[in-house]
Amino acid sequence: MDNRQAIGSWLSGPRAAAEQMGADFGYRGERLGLPQDGPGSIAPLGRRFGAIFVDWGLCMLIAYGLLTGGDLGSAGNWALLVFAVLGVLTVGTVGSTPGKRLLGLRVVSVGGGRLTLPRAVVRTALLALAVPALVWDRDSRGLHDRLSGAVQVRI
């Protein structure tokens, strides 16, 4: 076997190389007992990024218009606070932020059902740090979702 096949190319990555050699990883969410497609399946990354951009834009508007009195320089700091409050209140109660609802996503517990308020607080605090959200597992769950026992699914 050629070493290039074992490592994979920089375009396809090591997972594609392992799949070419016969490894079966299954689909995203299979280990969690979620369906492959449709409602209840793992949320696609594009929609998740879109939802967080919608939420951040909304938080920036609230911070700029209501909290800073039009001072754009300090709006970003206030927007992070608004983002954290928005995340705890909406994910902890209805399971989705306005951006997630707009794009058809919901945050649920891994075992099914609503995410509890303490778990929503942990998830939002880690998401506000941004670094845990950039580390994903095989099911496309960020570290903030793994540590809070959550998963983002399609509605």
Side-chain angles (χ1 to χ4, degrees), residues 32 92 102 122 130:
L32 303 172
L102 181 68
V122 168

Side-chain angles (χ1 to χ4, degrees), residues 114-138:
R114 189 177 61 86
L115 199 63
T116 63
L117 191 59
R119 285 180 165 187
V121 169
V122 168
R123 182 183 184 279
T124 303
L126 291 172
L127 185 59
L129 294 174
V131 174
L134 299 175
V135 179
W136 297 327
D137 68 358
R138 198 166 81 185

Side-chain angles (χ1 to χ4, degrees), residues 4-142:
R4 290 177 291 178
Q5 288 177 331
I7 295 172
S9 76
W10 66 277
L11 289 175
S12 62
R15 179 179 175 138
E19 286 174 345
Q20 285 177 352
M21 292 189 307
D24 181 24
F25 293 107
Y27 61 87
R28 293 180 309 128
E30 183 176 18
R31 295 184 309 157
L32 303 172
L34 300 174
Q36 185 171 3
D37 294 316
S41 64
I42 295 281
L45 293 176
R47 281 193 200 178
R48 290 167 55 184
F49 283 129
I52 202 163
F53 286 130
V54 168
D55 290 337
W56 185 253
L58 179 65
C59 292
M60 281 294 287
L61 282 174
I62 292 170
Y64 178 76
L66 299 177
L67 299 176
T68 65
D71 180 20
L72 189 60
S74 63
N77 294 332
W78 283 103
L80 186 59
L81 177 66
V82 172
F83 182 79
V85 170
L86 178 78
V88 168
L89 292 179
T90 58
V91 171
T93 56
V94 295
S96 62
T97 62
K100 288 185 191 331
R101 178 62 77 179
L102 181 68
L103 294 175
L105 305 177
R106 186 168 181 220
V107 179
V108 296
S109 176
V110 172
R114 189 177 61 86
L115 199 63
T116 63
L117 191 59
R119 285 180 165 187
V121 169
V122 168
R123 182 183 184 279
T124 303
L126 291 172
L127 185 59
L129 294 174
V131 174
L134 299 175
V135 179
W136 297 327
D137 68 358
R138 198 166 81 185
D139 294 315
S140 297
R141 290 192 314 152

